[in-house]
Amino acid sequence: MIPAPFDYLAPTSVEEALAALTEHGDDAKILAGGQSLLPVLRMRLNAPEVVIDLGKIEALRGVRDDGDAIVIGAMTTHAAVLEDPLIKQHAPLIAEATETVADRQVRHRGTFGGALAHADPAGDLPAVALALDAEFVIVGPNGRRTVPARDFFVDYLTTALEDGELLVEVRIPKLSGDWGMHYEKFNRVAQAWSIVAVAACVRQEGGKIAEARVGLTNMGPTPLRASGVEAALTGADATAEAIAAAAEHAAEGTHPSSDLNAQADYRERLATVLTRRAVSAAVGL
Ligand SMILES: Cc1cc2nc3c(=O)[nH]c(=O)nc-3n(C[C@H](O)[C@H](O)[C@H](O)COP(=O)(O)OP(=O)(O)OC[C@H]3O[C@@H](n4cnc5c(N)ncnc54)[C@H](O)[C@@H]3O)c2cc1C
């Protein structure tokens, strides 16, 4: 289908984009890579009067080192994320998950910030951001604010972004070398969305698991932390048996949907299996 007609604006600075958002309010929609928004417009599930394209705002692209964190600009494409040396060094989990996102064409247009702002529960990057304790830097009419990942994902396709606000960058705290990470995704065919996926970050100390963070994809309307697994892993031996026992808690507190791809109970079972695999890989087993 063809989208309903709209006016197109292409600001070259964040300030111009904010001014356009303020002027057009509810009638405007932000365009990043368009990989989720354009299908929505073509199906006429949304018909904004104005589309504000962030593609010409160079300040929103790229990855920089900011001491104890790396900072990823919202308009950094998935393809650029995959090639970035800072991400490879300090947050390889992001690269690992991004490699599973769609196909090359989508990864060349789709952006890191767009995928997070869209907040699809089957999207791969939200659970990764949650496991890495990312912080979302948002600007709007009232200035700049930072929202931790645990407060950013509010509900199905809904984030803490308010009307008139833009996601400008995402801060990823650097994790030291004693952390291991792994993203384990289950889908039926290559280049498809996750039926369930698990992002695991684990710090070991003297053969024991000192700290664990486990993010779940598609186990509810938002990405979730598997807090039962994290509690069971903390202080446990870094062995296959201890990890398998902890992974049994993976579905606790989750609310997976039933759809054409999988029933909820199947997703619960998958979460357990994928958590065991993700944590085992993160500790090097
Ligand atoms: C065929 C196909 C397969 C895919 N498979 C996967 C997959 O396996 N895994 C996966 O994770 N994703 C997948 N995706 C989605 C892909 O990751 C998209 O890149 C992503 O969902 C949206 O990013 P975008 O930059 O294209 O955003 P857009 O589509 O431009 O925008 C998405 C939404 O976010 C809002 N938005 C965008 N940027 C900002 C911002 N800076 N501030 C505020 N609001 C903003 C927009 O207004 C819109 O509502 C797939 C997409 C396609 C088309």
Side-chain angles (χ1 to χ4, degrees), residues 29-39 54 60 74-75 78 100-103 106 109-115 117-118 122-126 161 165-168 185 187 191-194:
K29 197 78 189 140
I30 295 290
L31 174 70
Q35 299 304 295
S36 296
L37 183 63
L38 287 186
L54 304 183
L60 293 180
M75 286 297 289
H78 299 313
T100 74
V101 169
D103 51 35
V106 172
R109 297 295 311 180
T111 64
F112 189 69
H118 189 55
D124 294 294
L125 299 173
L161 282 161
E165 288 189 325
L166 276 181
L167 174 65
V168 286
K185 170 167 171 171
N187 49 11
Q191 305 173 342
W193 296 83
S194 286

Side-chain angles (χ1 to χ4, degrees), residues 13 24 32 53 64 89 120 130 134 150 174 214-215 280 285:
S13 70
H24 297 285
D53 184 355
R64 64 186 160 85
Q89 186 183 350
D120 191 312
L130 205 56
R150 66 177 171 278
K174 288 180 186 169
V214 179
S280 300
L285 288 177

Side-chain angles (χ1 to χ4, degrees), residues 19-20 36 45 63 68 73 126 141 148 150 153 173 179 194 200 203 209 215 217 222 230 260 262 282 284:
S36 296
L45 296 172
V63 184
D68 57 357
R150 66 177 171 278
F153 302 102
W179 283 86
S194 286
R203 184 168 67 80
I209 295 174
T217 298
T222 65
E230 294 177 354
L260 285 176

